[in-house]
Amino acid sequence: PNERNNTCSVSGSVVQLAWNIKIFIAFFCEAYWVCGLRRKPYMIGGWVGGVGILLFLAFAADSLAFESYIFLCAFFEFFMMIADANADGYTVQLSRLEHPETRGHILSNGQLCRFFMSMFAGVVQSFLLNGPTTNPPGQGFDWGLTISQMFWLILGIICPTLLPALYYFREKKSLSSGVHRVTMGEQLREVWEVLHNITVFFIMIWSLGFIVLAGATNRVSVIMEGGILQMSQLLFGIDNISTYLMLCIGIWIFKTYLLNYNWRITQVWTTILVAGLNLLWLVPILSSWRNAYFAIFIDSSEQFVQGITQVLVSMAVIELAPQNLEATTYELIISVSNAFITLNVVVSTQLMAPFQLADIDADNDDAAANERMAQYTFLISGINILGACTSIWFFPRSREQCHEWKLAGGHKRSVAISALVFAILALAYSLVAMVLTVLPSTACLKFVGGNGCANGPDF
């Protein structure tokens, strides 16, 4: 059978897998400065490697197998991670110069810029990648760029804008003056010390409960948009634009109104919103009204909560990060959070297996398939509520309580060991499941959300 639903469900997360190991890049960059600079050389190196991958894809993308294309995109993200890890560290350094009442504005403004540019990419996708080579038959415009041509266009946009930006960027050496250049061993020992504080372990537990369970995503969206409605690239581009627009709105609302509000209450009402949006998928599932724009509305509205969650985690990290190891502490917690975002997709996709959702498309969309999708939808919404009820107690109510927990967290070896094992298992489980889901020979396994393999292992 065609296992494309579960494979498509996780393909985006496979591309972004490298972000789960940003902590190791942070270790390296904190230990080895280049020409007396702590951040800029690595930003340049990351972009140079990324442009190299883009150049290869510009020549070869149209002839690559799906899994090869996905893994090359993941390799590109690895280079972007190098640049981003150092930009994150520099952002946290600058954030420490802000007034306590407004701390976090630099960080949230940077995220807003990132998401606005992602919306611009969605506009490009909508109108230039909407031709006959990238759409189902009968969809889209009469002309559009091929995948390879799109990469040439990306290179044409990046190079003229990136080179001046990197050249004129001046890293403030005053932020690093007098800073002891830590070795890899020192950083590992410092992180080991950070792990002894139970506050960090609490945030890891919260990540499992809130990001994976309370934030569990309804993968019926993949089936409905790609398999049943067979949306064009124009509609997927609109979906991408609206998704990032809702992310920006979520970040702006948090920065403007919720920065000093009770963080737990924020998590409760956002979870109720996510569960309600998940249930909206019952409209196209159980009725004949299947409108692509309604599907886009549900899909993008869920990202409003994701924007708030991202800033929540970042705010906690700013308060927890020890001086001179800002990037390391930031990437430690963010890497764990990224691993749980990946695990969110993994678990939500694995839960497709009991309902036999992996091969549903427009050709076999019948009453029995709709009933199975409805059952899956109710399950996901129930998991959302359960996850929030069990996890919000592991996240501080405010910045003040974050400092209280940090000071009262103690220093227990058992806590450090538990936190380390917890993080490694989450990362390893996500990595194995992602790779198995993308490879054609194993995508059929029920373990990764398939309907079972005709030959070989079936688990």
Side-chain angles (χ1 to χ4, degrees):
N2 187 353
E3 305 292 347
R4 59 192 172 89
N5 285 338
N6 61 320
T7 301
C8 291
S9 175
V10 304
S11 58
S13 296
V14 172
V15 170
Q16 297 171 351
L17 269 176
W19 297 90
N20 298 341
I21 58 171
K22 284 174 70 176
I23 179 64
F24 302 110
I25 296 300
F27 282 157
F28 184 88
C29 297
E30 293 282 8
Y32 302 102
W33 299 4
V34 180
C35 300
L37 294 175
R38 192 177 179 186
R39 310 293 185 196
K40 183 175 179 178
Y42 290 109
M43 295 182 192
I44 294 175
W47 272 107
V48 168
V51 168
I53 297 295
L54 288 177
L55 186 62
F56 179 83
L57 287 170
F59 281 107
D62 287 338
S63 59
L64 290 173
F66 177 75
E67 62 273 16
S68 300
Y69 174 78
I70 291 297
F71 288 130
L72 273 171
C73 289
F75 197 33
F76 167 77
E77 289 291 317
F78 170 77
F79 285 109
M80 289 297 93
M81 176 193 64
I82 296 174
D84 190 78
N86 287 277
D88 285 342
Y90 194 59
T91 299
V92 175
Q93 285 178 268
L94 292 175
S95 295
R96 289 192 175 277
L97 303 179
E98 294 181 284
H99 190 276
E101 291 298 318
T102 59
R103 186 176 298 151
H105 279 209
I106 292 176
L107 185 146
S108 55
N109 287 336
Q111 289 177 330
L112 284 174
C113 291
R114 168 191 169 191
F115 294 142
F116 274 122
M117 291 308 298
S118 297
M119 284 192 289
F120 171 74
V123 173
V124 173
Q125 174 189 352
S126 297
F127 293 98
L128 297 183
L129 203 63
N130 192 44
T133 63
T134 55
N135 279 314
Q139 297 272 20
F141 302 148
D142 293 333
W143 178 88
L145 298 178
T146 65
I147 299 298
S148 289
Q149 289 169 344
M150 173 56 70
F151 282 112
W152 282 114
L153 176 63
I154 292 172
L155 286 168
I157 294 173
I158 285 178
C159 291
T161 55
L162 178 66
L163 292 176
L166 291 177
Y167 177 78
Y168 286 108
F169 169 63
R170 294 291 182 263
E171 181 177 346
K172 288 188 176 182
K173 292 189 177 183
S174 60
L175 291 177
S176 300
S177 61
V179 174
H180 170 62
R181 190 179 306 186
V182 291
T183 66
M184 291 286 286
E186 288 174 329
Q187 289 182 93
L188 289 172
R189 286 190 293 271
E190 288 288 344
V191 171
W192 179 245
E193 288 297 313
V194 170
L195 290 175
H196 282 72
N197 192 303
I198 199 168
T199 304
V200 175
F201 192 29
F202 277 177
I203 291 181
M204 290 183 182
I205 296 173
W206 171 84
S207 297
L208 174 62
F210 192 79
I211 296 177
V212 178
L213 302 179
T217 51
N218 191 339
R219 310 314 288 175
V220 165
S221 61
V222 177
I223 301 171
M224 193 63 64
E225 294 175 351
I228 296 176
L229 294 175
Q230 296 185 343
M231 287 169 35
S232 67
Q233 288 299 316
L234 175 62
L235 292 174
F236 277 117
I238 293 173
D239 190 13
N240 186 48
I241 295 169
S242 58
T243 292
Y244 282 106
L245 178 61
M246 295 306 294
L247 277 168
C248 292
I249 292 173
I251 293 171
W252 178 81
I253 288 178
F254 184 89
K255 183 181 74 169
T256 306
Y257 300 107
L258 304 174
L259 199 62
N260 298 305
Y261 188 65
N262 190 310
W263 293 346
R264 290 178 182 171
I265 294 177
T266 299
Q267 293 173 54
V268 170
W269 69 259
T270 53
T271 300
I272 294 173
L273 178 60
V274 167
L277 289 168
N278 278 336
L279 290 175
L280 282 181
W281 284 110
L282 293 173
V283 175
I285 290 172
L286 299 177
S287 72
S288 58
W289 190 65
R290 292 179 168 177
N291 184 280
Y293 292 102
F294 183 67
I296 290 171
F297 165 75
I298 304 172
D299 200 22
S300 59
S301 296
E302 292 175 341
Q303 298 305 310
F304 169 79
V305 176
Q306 181 65 27
I308 292 177
T309 301
Q310 285 189 14
V311 185
L312 267 176
V313 176
S314 298
M315 287 300 301
V317 172
I318 288 175
E319 304 303 329
L320 285 170
Q323 191 172 4
N324 300 334
L325 282 174
E326 299 91 354
T328 300
T329 304
Y330 185 94
E331 301 308 340
L332 170 66
I333 297 179
I334 295 301
S335 292
V336 172
S337 297
N338 287 342
F340 282 112
I341 292 174
T342 303
L343 190 59
N344 175 324
V345 177
V346 169
V347 172
S348 299
T349 302
Q350 287 176 317
L351 289 173
M352 293 168 59
F355 302 97
Q356 298 284 295
L357 304 182
D359 61 351
I360 295 177
D361 56 24
D363 296 329
N364 57 14
D365 173 34
D366 54 21
N370 292 334
E371 181 179 354
R372 297 197 304 273
M373 286 192 287
Q375 292 170 346
Y376 171 81
T377 296
F378 281 117
L379 175 64
I380 293 297
S381 290
I383 291 174
N384 294 150
I385 301 300
L386 177 64
C389 291
T390 56
S391 66
I392 60 172
W393 316 108
F394 293 95
F395 199 88
R397 291 189 303 269
S398 61
R399 282 185 289 209
E400 291 75 20
Q401 189 175 47
C402 190
H403 286 289
E404 292 172 8
W405 283 13
K406 180 180 177 182
L407 294 173
H411 190 275
K412 297 181 179 180
R413 182 180 176 86
S414 59
V415 170
I417 294 174
S418 299
L420 183 62
V421 172
F422 192 70
I424 291 174
L425 287 177
L427 180 61
Y429 186 87
S430 299
L431 177 62
V432 171
M434 289 284 105
V435 173
L436 289 177
T437 310
V438 170
L439 294 176
S441 60
T442 53
C444 56
L445 295 174
K446 291 182 179 179
F447 172 70
V448 294
N451 289 347
C453 300
N455 299 307
D458 182 17
F459 58 87

